[in-house]
Structure formats: C-alpha cells, structure tokens
Amino acid sequence: MQDPIPESNYMINSLTNRREELFPGKIIEHKQEENKFYFSSANEVTLLVQVLTSRIIRFRYSPDGYFPPDFSYAIDPDFKPEPPKVEFTQKPDSFQLTTELVVCIIQKEGLQIKILDKSGNVINEDEKGYHWEYDLQTGNNTVKMSKWVQSGEHYYGLGDKSCNMNLRGRRLQNWGSDTYGYSRNSDPLYKSIPFYFGLHQKTAYGIFFDNTFRTYFDFAHERSNLTSFWAHGEEMNYYFFYGPGLTEVAEQYALLTGRSAMPPLWALGYQQCKWSYYPESTFKGIAREFRERQIPCDALYLDIDYMDGFRCFTWNKEYFPDPKRMISELAADGFKTVVIIDPGIKIDKNYRVYQEGFQNGYFCRRGDGPYMKGSVWPGLCHFPDYTHPVVREWWADLFEELITVDGVRGVWNDMNEPAVFEQGTFPDDVRFDYDGNPCSHRKAHNIYGMQMARATYMGVKKFCYPNRPLVITRSAFSGTQRFSSTWTGDNVASWDHLWMANIQCQRLSISGMSFVGSDIGGFIETPTGELYIRWLQLGIFHPFCRTHSSGDHGDQEPWSFGPEYTLLAKKFIELRYRLLPYIYTTFWQYVTFGTPMLRPLTFMAQDDTETYHRMAEFGLGDNFLICPITQAEVDGRWLYLPHGTWYYFWDNTIYIGGKEVWAQAPLDRIPFFIRAGSVVPFYPLMQYVGEKEITELTLNLYYTEGSFTSTLYDDGGDGYAYEKGIFTERKFIVTGTQVSLTVSQEIKGAFEPTYTTYKIILHGLPFGPETIRIDGEPLLLDTVVDPELDFEPESQNEKFPVIYVRRDFKTLNIQGIASDPMLPEPEMA
Ligand code: MIG
C-alpha cells in the first residue's frame, strides 16, 4: 500500500496531501499514582509522565485518553528500579516534577515539556511538542514530537548509520533494510535503534523513542532550530535520560534496554568466515593453514552452502558427509564451528521444519489468511512468526541436533530484516502475534530480526550449556544486545568502507551494541594487501573480530595477499590475542555497567569542544586510544589525542594530549596509544583460547606521575559461575613520583585464575629502580632481569625492568635514584 505522505516531508506537508495536524489542548485534570503522573487535556489527550529514576523519565501520550497495554520488546524485563523521590508542584501555567537531578516542567496549555538541570540550565525543551495526524488508510496516527535545538547542540547515536558521527543537520530513518554494498550516508541500513544523544554546554542527555514502526529523526535538517522525531503508528512513547556525561547517558540507556551476558572468551578471539567454505576438505584446509602458519584463530564459519538446498537445520551430505566427526576434529584443534541460519523456511512437503511450521501455524500470514510466501535462497519460503512465544520455543528447540549432536558452538542469523528477494521485505499486511498484541508488518518489521535472534539465543544457550552461547545477527532493534552480537552487513573492500566500519562500530557501541565488528577486508570485492592489513589493524580493536567475504571475489584469508602481508596479518592477530584479558575486562564493564566498549573521542573528552566534530579516534576500554589509517600509501596520520599523557604503543614515545599529534604508522603499525598510569594485562601468545594453561600473566605498567587506576576482570572465560560471583575484579592503583612508583592491588571476588605470578614490565620509568618492596618484604634487585621481548621488536623493551611478583600482592613499592643513564630518557613528542 502506498503511503500518501511523501516520506521526505514532515513538518511541511505538501498541499495536495495535506493532513490536519492535531494538538493537545489545556490540561484540565491530573492525578498521581506513585511515580506515574497523568495529565489530561480538555480534548482528551493524556500525558503519562513516569519518573523511573532520578535521571530517567518516560513520556507517553495518548490522543484519546486511552493507553493500550504497555508492551515493549526493547525494555529489559529485569529493569525494575526503585521509584525515586519526586517532588510535585503546581504553578499557574505549569506543573513541575523535581528529582534529585532534574526538573521537568509540563505546560498546562499544549503539554509542552521542558527539562532543566538543578542549576536551572535548560537541557531539553519542546517546540510544538506532541502532536499527531490521523491516517485514514491504515488507521494509525503519525505521532510527532518537535524540540528546540539548544545553542551549540550536537547529536550522536542512532545505531547503524554510515554517515558522520555528529548527526546535526541530518534526517535519518529506521526501517531495517538489506542494503548490499551500501555507501556513506545510505539510510536506512540493517538495524533500527531509535535512540540519540544531545550534547550542549558540555552537558549530555539522551532520548529513546520506543516505537517499532518506521521512525524518523530530523536533527536541525528541515529547520535549523528544530529537532523532531516521528513514527507512522503506535504511540509517542519516549524516555529521557539525563547525563550529564555522554557515557552516563549510554549507561542509562543500557540499563533500560538491557545488557549482554559475558560471551565465551573464544568469541573474542579471531574468527574466519567466507561465503562459503565447502566441501569439508576446503573447510578443514583453512583450519590446517591457520595452525601450520601459526596464525591464531578460534572460530570458523559455515555460510549457506553447508545446508541441503538452503534448508535450515539440514546438511548437504555431499559436501559434509559427517558433520559431527568434522566438527569434533576441528574442535580438537581448538576451532569452534559457527553456522548460518536464515529465517526463510523452504516450502517443501518433505522437509521436517516446513511440516512442523505449517501444521502448527508457526508461519506469518497475509492479512487475508494464507501463509506469506517470499523468495529467498531456498526458493519460495514461509517465515516463522518469532513474535509468538510458542514459535520462539519451537525455533529454539530446532537447534538441539546442530549443537548437542553435531557440536556447533555458535549461530549466525542473517537476512532477518526480514529480507525478501525482489520485494525487499514482507508486504505491509502480513500479520504478527507480537506477543499477544496482534499487528501488521508495519509495526513488527523493525523487531523481526531481534525476535529471531532472541529465539536463536534461547536455543543456542540452552543446548550449549554449561558453555556460553555465541549468536550474531544482522538486523536488530534496541535491546538486541541482550541476545546477540552483530556486524555491519555487506560492506565493500574500499578505503571508504574502512572509514565507515570505524564510524559504524563506534556508533553501534554507544547505542547499546558493543559486541560489534565489520567484515574485515570488506565483503564485496577484493582488498589489496595494504587495505586488508589496515582493516585488520582496526578490526583487532573491535569487540567482534572476523574476516568475511563473498566467494565470488577471491580469497580473503590472512595469508591471501603474499608473504609480506601474511607476516603483518599474523602480527596483528597475535596482538589481538595478547590483548584478550584487557578486551575481556572491557566487555565485563559493558556487561556490568552498560559502558560502551568503543568510545568516540567526544565520549572520552566531552569537556573539550575540539572533539565534537572528530570521529576517527576512539577509545577501547579505559586505557586505549586508537585511530585507524584509512588511506592508501601513508606512513602515519594526524590525530587528536584527548587530554592526559599517552604512550605510543610501538615505541613508548610519550605524548601530551589535548592537541593534534602526528602518529608515525607505516604499514606495520596502527596509531595506538596507552594512557599513562595504565596497567595493561597481556596473555601469553596462544593459537586459540584455552590452548595453554596460563601460569603467568604479563602486566605492562606505564609509569605516570600522579595516580591512575586500572581494572582486570577474570572468570575463566566460559560457564556461568561468574553469575554467582565466581569472578575476580582486580584494581591496580598506580602512583608515581619522580623517584618512586607504588602499585596497590585491590582484589574482589572468589575466582582462582590459573596464573600464580605476574610479570610486570615497567614502561617509562624516569628513574633507576634502587629498592623494591613487595608487601613490605624486600625483593632483591637481581630479580630485575632483561625481559624477553613481550611484544614488538621495535619497542626496545629489552631495556625495561621486569619484576616477577606473586599474583595476590597488595603493595609493590619501587624507590629509585633519578635519571639512571642506563634507561632511555622518555622522548617527548
Ligand atoms: O544474500 O549468506 O550479509 O554475510 O555471506 C546474501 C550469504 C546473504 C548476506 C550476509 C553475508 C552472507 C550472505 N548473505
């Protein structure tokens, strides 16, 4: 059905299609139920303001005084905050709700909202505020919200967008789409995350518009002083989050929409994929090559050709005669096998999954009754209605054999926008259960992929137990992070796409989905060796690290580009494995606090307005700053270092941040900085997670003057004991002066790691160590030995002192004499 509203036109309707905009009248009634405040207008509009916490406020509007059942796929069912203290007051023209952190003013005439902080600064303010249009064709309201742009305001977020980080001046929409070979500014893409950040006067807030219809966001695009958002149905229902930090806003959003569980550690290793590796000899050949070349790798993927005629949950027995044997042989060599599963179920009377779905009514139906048909890889298919709880249970159980018999360890969900050949997606009239709130595709489209990933997660989790599951999905809605990791879809082997991969992953990370990566090297076409290496250098700093490409375009394994590039690929994948304990700790912070793992520069230095238009630089966790090279044939780049003192990882040059610096980065380096004062844990080199028992953990300590605290989380890397508190959180508090260095360790938790010793490598010490004490006991100087090279030859770290200490030490104290000529003077850049 054609929507008569020109999609590009919101506030200014075209004259021919003009519909009446409707507005609330004056508030004539109000009531309070605990933390819920209802305001009703003379024309029956009702506003429900629900104060969830001192910094999260929900606004829900009904045009006719009636609220449908309160149901959302996005909100984490475990989010049940204690209602906060709210003070309610009435003024002649307005009502006022005051929490510990914000003041919310509701205008009596028109219901406009204004939110201020406690110092009286306006954080967010409605222009027209809530208004709507009635659509005779669909019976839906187009629900709208308009807000003033504050002076100097910038906008970020919205999940999967390939445009510049800062969204001011743009109009974007959410309608999950299969966008093969998309480009910079293509919109919409695969995922729908209707959540944005506003930042002005160095203060941040966020808005999550919890509406699954096609949504639009206009950030001062149509009118330079207005930001608006609207949807083609359902309610105006949004959440306001107060920061004042951008990171705090991201954490509030993650509290509300939920957090991921800890992944199995192997899922943070390097993963290799291809459309497609088959038959068995090819697949195993790839595995053999990794081990022969000693390039670490944990997971190998089977794309659609492993199936029998693309029928989900079957095997092509010609290519893979004995999957169970093959997968267990690979497992013996440390490889986990991940398989793709699409939503389209082939219409085939002799196919069990089809039969079960057909007989039980599990497939989506057209408005007039018959099952919906659409063509995808297997030919004509029906599609499960994952919005029905019984269908999700059925779907989850379909994984039993793949996992418990065949030994598959992870599942990859694709085509779940949902994508249909020729038509793009389902027709609008297709019906969904929507967990007991029946609706059409207009409403269910954007959460279809999420509910598929959810059902898949239920199954993979159940059958992998006691191991942890891995699910990866292409489509997603807000909250999908509770079930799945994700990737950025069908990108292209081009420098521009490398640039985009950086922006998209950062943006997904601040939008609740940190477990994210791109197809390293590009999915479509073939990268040059140089592009592949530059991409891999970025990819090892993304939480999800996988090379994937389409088979029509040549080989794309780490060794596909010639010996010189193979060496470089090996070096960077090795670095990934050394960094695993740091990345795992960062993942735990994300799981526990909702903190984005990838942090845009502005999130690292919100007080520094220089950062507001920069986007290439990003943080991974608390202590790293990375900036990829996205240009051919360069030896380095200019980048902006946030304030503070930083070590250049490759040569330990010390840089002072708060300015642009040049990072020398020929093809064997990526600009990678470590914050002074950090303690960065390194694993010994492994070919896959769990290859060796770790008996000694390396801690790279980067001297700082003053004090800095780093975290190390450990829980053994799999299983669920961590949920019962069997993990350790270690804090290293580093305090340096010109002639001394103290490290205190605070340990929380009951997990016993396998390592009993730390090997501490001291970087940038400005003095020669004279005496060393560990918990008061002297440690003989001769324990200070030349370390073996712990990572890179060019770091000259054979000159750095190394100390071996027992794992659970409390205080390490090093006293020195200033400027030992034996040690290199830190070079200042
Ligand atoms: O129509 O399964 O994005 O990663 O290799 C293409 C084949 C279907 C799209 C995915 C891609 C995958 C491919 N799929």
Side-chain angles (χ1 to χ4, degrees), residues 602-617:
T602 311
F603 282 59
M604 299 176 77
Q606 178 175 332
D607 279 345
D608 180 354
T609 51
E610 275 294 309
T611 64
Y612 291 6
H613 289 281
R614 292 183 174 267
M615 54 193 132
E617 305 88 341

Side-chain angles (χ1 to χ4, degrees), residues 275 303-304 340 377 412 414-415 474 487 490 519 523 548:
W275 179 19
D303 205 327
I304 47 177
I340 198 167
W377 292 106
W412 172 24
D414 187 21
M415 303 287 281
R474 193 169 71 174
W487 90 108
D490 295 342
D519 284 352
F523 176 73
H548 180 40

Side-chain angles (χ1 to χ4, degrees), residues 70 154 294 454 461 589 639 678 694 708 762-763 818 828:
D70 192 11
H154 298 278
Q294 293 281 285
R454 175 187 180 183
K461 184 177 176 184
Q589 292 170 324
L639 58 93
S678 299
I694 297 164
F708 188 74
L762 301 169
H763 299 262
M828 299 289 271

Side-chain angles (χ1 to χ4, degrees), residues 10-12 21 23 112 124-129 131 144-151 153 155 167-171 196 205 216-230:
Y10 154 53
M11 292 295 174
I12 311 158
E21 284 195 331
F23 294 87
Q112 285 87 0
N124 188 255
E125 185 182 1
D126 286 358
E127 178 236 8
K128 288 179 189 162
H131 54 298
K144 306 176 173 190
M145 175 58 61
S146 63
K147 292 175 175 289
W148 297 111
V149 173
Q150 300 298 321
S151 157
E153 186 156 13
Y155 300 95
L167 301 176
R168 184 161 177 168
R170 289 178 192 275
R171 171 179 287 185
Y196 73 88
Y205 68 91
Y216 294 83
F217 289 81
D218 185 305
F219 301 103
H221 168 83
E222 183 169 308
R223 283 195 260 164
S224 62
N225 58 346
L226 290 185
T227 276
S228 52
F229 49 91
W230 63 101

Side-chain angles (χ1 to χ4, degrees), residues 441-734:
H441 182 246
R442 268 187 286 271
K443 178 169 167 177
H445 174 84
N446 280 340
I447 49 79
Y448 188 83
M450 175 198 199
Q451 294 310 303
M452 179 193 189
R454 175 187 180 183
T456 300
Y457 173 73
M458 284 163 52
V460 183
K461 184 177 176 184
K462 176 170 168 186
F463 298 116
C464 279
Y465 188 88
N467 295 312
R468 299 176 194 163
L470 172 67
V471 174
I472 171 168
T473 179
R474 193 169 71 174
S475 181
F477 188 74
S478 294
T480 306
Q481 67 271 12
R482 304 201 297 274
F483 316 117
S484 182
S485 64
T486 192
W487 90 108
T488 57
D490 295 342
N491 58 6
V492 185
S494 71
W495 290 98
D496 205 37
H497 265 272
L498 172 52
W499 179 91
M500 277 184 254
N502 178 25
I503 306 307
Q504 286 177 276
C505 290
Q506 289 184 53
R507 182 147 38 217
L508 279 159
S509 177
I510 60 172
S511 309
M513 300 200 75
S514 278
F515 199 4
V516 60
S518 67
D519 284 352
I520 293 172
F523 176 73
I524 302 160
E525 295 174 17
T526 308
T528 59
E530 184 191 10
L531 175 58
Y532 181 74
I533 295 302
R534 288 303 193 193
W535 206 314
L536 184 63
Q537 290 171 347
L538 172 65
I540 64 159
F541 292 104
H542 284 162
F544 195 91
C545 179
R546 183 184 77 160
T547 294
H548 180 40
S549 69
S550 158
D552 316 338
H553 304 110
D555 292 343
Q556 204 160 305
E557 286 83 42
W559 53 84
S560 302
F561 305 94
E564 133 195 32
Y565 298 107
T566 307
L567 264 181
L568 289 170
K570 176 172 155 76
K571 161 176 156 162
F572 283 95
I573 294 173
E574 285 177 354
L575 179 58
R576 167 76 176 200
Y577 276 76
R578 306 303 304 274
L579 295 175
L580 278 179
Y582 176 82
I583 298 172
Y584 196 60
T585 297
T586 303
F587 208 113
W588 172 75
Q589 292 170 324
Y590 163 58
V591 164
T592 309
F593 312 110
T595 319
M597 294 178 72
L598 304 174
R599 304 175 190 169
L601 194 62
T602 311
F603 282 59
M604 299 176 77
Q606 178 175 332
D607 279 345
D608 180 354
T609 51
E610 275 294 309
T611 64
Y612 291 6
H613 289 281
R614 292 183 174 267
M615 54 193 132
E617 305 88 341
F618 68 95
L620 167 65
D622 294 335
N623 306 345
F624 291 179
L625 185 282
I626 297 115
C627 186
I629 301 270
T630 52
Q631 240 184 305
E633 290 171 32
V634 296
D635 272 350
R637 66 169 293 161
W638 288 97
L639 58 93
Y640 192 84
L641 264 190
H643 56 75
T645 304
W646 299 86
Y647 286 76
Y648 197 42
F649 174 77
W650 307 106
D651 59 14
N652 273 354
T653 308
I654 291 172
Y655 290 78
I656 305 301
K659 58 174 187 247
E660 268 201 342
V661 300
W662 172 264
Q664 188 65 26
L667 195 55
D668 61 352
R669 293 177 174 186
I670 176 175
F672 169 27
F673 296 83
I674 295 179
R675 203 187 281 279
S678 299
V679 172
V680 182
F682 267 49
Y683 271 167
L685 186 58
M686 292 181 286
Q687 295 306 308
Y688 56 90
V689 167
E691 185 198 18
K692 304 178 181 148
E693 186 170 277
I694 297 164
T695 53
E696 177 185 279
L697 188 73
T698 298
L699 299 179
N700 284 288
L701 189 156
Y702 291 85
Y703 167 86
T704 189
E705 208 169 325
S707 210
F708 188 74
T709 301
S710 305
T711 307
L712 168 63
Y713 170 82
D714 202 347
D715 65 9
D718 210 337
Y720 292 93
Y722 79 100
E723 288 182 348
K724 302 196 179 72
I726 313 298
F727 63 84
T728 39
E729 180 192 354
R730 292 158 189 270
K731 294 244 181 250
F732 300 104
I733 303 130
V734 168

